[in-house]
Amino acid sequence: MLHRARIRFAPTVLFCYNSTMEKKADPSRVVILGGGAIGSVLAAALAQKPGQETVLVGRRDHVRAVNEAGLTVEGMFTGAVRLQASEAVDFPLEDVLLIVTVKAVDLEAALADVVPFLRPTTALLLLQNGHGIRKLALEALRGSPARPQSVFIGIVAMGVTFIAPGHVRCFGGNIRVEPAFAATPFFGLLQGLAVNVVESRDIRRDLWTKLLVNAVINPLSVLLQGHNRLVAAERFDPLKAPILAEGCAVAAAEGVALKIDPAFVNRFVTSDNITSMLQDFRRGRPTEIDFINGAIVKLGEKHGIPTPVNEFVTALIKALESLR
Ligand code: PAF
């Protein structure tokens, strides 16, 4: 039996917005698909906003804990935040902003589950690590009522940890969204939150920068079994430099000129947070390695750029995964 919230969205507020009397909903509803650390922090921040209707969709134990005792977000709110949580989407997503925070490896399946509830008025904001996320989502949504132009991408540059059901920790940071999303009325819903959501001035550059930071920090955190501040130590820079050199060459071939060195990466991750990859690894979940270093390898092949270090790192993480 699924543990579902009795979703209590108020009826859509309709208003006329042009001379043809076409009706448009006042967007006020957000559904967060993915009750991991990011999704939970975002849901709590939204739930604190007056008048905001938010539902967090996640795994059974987390949903149960949140519905029973609220969500504790260490580092952000004192006391548990009350919000609605559900194990599944089983209500129409009319005029809803669906923020998808499941891991890249779960994206296809999570979208397939919600397809029957999507509407032409649903906007989707994808917040995954890795390369090729929008393409993957558009393929999964092909033939669904959701409009491709309503599928947007964002980048999470936040340190967050899932501690236990009903309990996450936030180390700060921000979320950047592509300009096309910032131009929609849904962007307003994400303003004035405890989580800073800003418009990216160059989304491709930001996506590649984040990909290269993840390509270094995430696998090294698993290999070194250490938190971000440890991985950011200069003594590990010789391990980081070749991953970045290959990544920058591939980014350039993709039309994004970047100069990212280990010092840049070290400044990016300074907290005692552990990476999402190490969290997945320790919980026995598949990691996002194929979407990060594995994607650099694939793109390298496409452009004829050798990426032996990223290939080796990908193989090492997969080997470790196979031993768990
Ligand atoms: O995947 C992660 O953990 C995050 O993207 C980051 C920025 C590396 C922080 O831990």
Side-chain angles (χ1 to χ4, degrees):
M1 252 282 277
L2 289 180
H3 193 264
R4 301 175 198 278
R6 269 186 214 94
I7 305 303
R8 291 182 299 269
F9 276 156
T12 305
V13 181
L14 295 170
F15 61 94
C16 301
Y17 77 102
N18 66 19
S19 55
T20 60
M21 302 294 280
E22 193 177 345
K23 285 179 175 171
K24 184 176 181 293
D26 179 11
S28 66
R29 305 146 173 206
V30 181
V31 173
I32 303 205
L33 186 60
I38 299 281
S40 299
V41 168
L42 206 45
L46 280 156
Q48 292 293 88
K49 192 173 174 179
Q52 176 62 56
E53 297 174 271
T54 307
V55 178
L56 175 65
V57 179
R59 288 172 199 270
R60 178 169 306 176
D61 48 357
H62 190 47
V63 165
R64 191 169 291 155
V66 170
N67 283 335
E68 278 171 18
L71 178 63
T72 301
V73 187
E74 264 181 60
M76 187 171 269
F77 299 117
T78 322
V81 176
R82 303 306 307 203
L83 63 106
Q84 296 187 82
S86 177
E87 266 186 71
V89 170
D90 56 1
F91 46 94
L93 296 167
E94 193 80 64
D95 303 308
V96 163
L97 171 60
L98 182 70
I99 304 183
V100 187
T101 57
V102 296
K103 292 286 163 58
V105 282
D106 298 322
L107 182 61
E108 234 177 316
L111 290 178
D113 284 347
V114 298
V115 158
F117 306 99
L118 294 173
R119 298 292 180 268
T121 56
T122 314
L124 289 94
L125 179 61
L126 309 168
L127 296 180
Q128 282 68 38
N129 278 336
H131 180 84
I133 298 301
R134 193 201 309 263
K135 190 163 169 261
L136 182 70
L138 289 177
E139 272 160 24
L141 295 172
R142 193 175 294 146
S144 86
R147 298 177 321 145
Q149 60 270 38
S150 298
V151 178
F152 303 98
I153 199 120
I155 302 149
V156 180
M158 282 170 71
V160 286
T161 305
F162 191 92
I163 309 280
H167 188 176
V168 294
R169 184 178 298 149
C170 182
F171 294 82
N174 67 30
I175 295 177
R176 275 186 220 176
V177 296
E178 64 174 305
F181 177 75
T184 71
F186 291 102
F187 183 57
L189 299 180
L190 305 184
Q191 298 303 292
L193 304 181
V195 173
N196 203 13
V197 182
V198 296
E199 177 180 350
S200 161
R201 273 185 266 153
D202 187 343
I203 190 73
R204 288 198 75 214
R205 198 181 170 79
D206 285 346
L207 281 166
W208 268 100
T209 303
K210 176 75 193 308
L211 183 73
L212 296 192
V213 169
N214 285 136
V216 167
I217 296 294
N218 294 30
L220 288 185
S221 72
V222 175
L223 294 167
L224 300 170
Q225 287 292 307
H227 52 61
N228 290 359
R229 208 155 42 82
L230 175 109
V231 181
E234 271 180 30
R235 66 182 187 281
F236 300 122
D237 286 1
L239 298 174
K240 299 165 196 164
I243 300 176
L244 290 171
E246 291 178 6
C248 288
V250 172
E254 285 283 299
V256 181
L258 286 176
K259 268 200 178 145
I260 297 187
D261 57 12
F264 175 93
V265 175
N266 297 346
R267 283 195 301 276
F268 199 98
V269 283
T270 49
S271 73
D272 286 335
N273 183 42
I274 65 170
T275 65
S276 52
M277 192 172 281
L278 183 51
Q279 292 180 53
D280 286 338
F281 184 80
R282 288 187 173 162
R283 294 161 83 196
R285 301 242 172 94
T287 72
E288 293 179 316
I289 196 74
D290 280 334
F291 290 86
I292 302 175
N293 305 75
I296 292 173
V297 174
K298 276 220 174 100
L299 290 170
E301 278 163 12
K302 176 178 136 193
H303 294 291
I305 296 171
T307 56
V309 179
N310 280 281
E311 203 172 335
F312 187 59
V313 166
T314 306
L316 271 179
I317 296 298
K318 283 176 178 260
L320 287 173
E321 280 185 56
S322 76
L323 291 176
R324 291 173 307 182

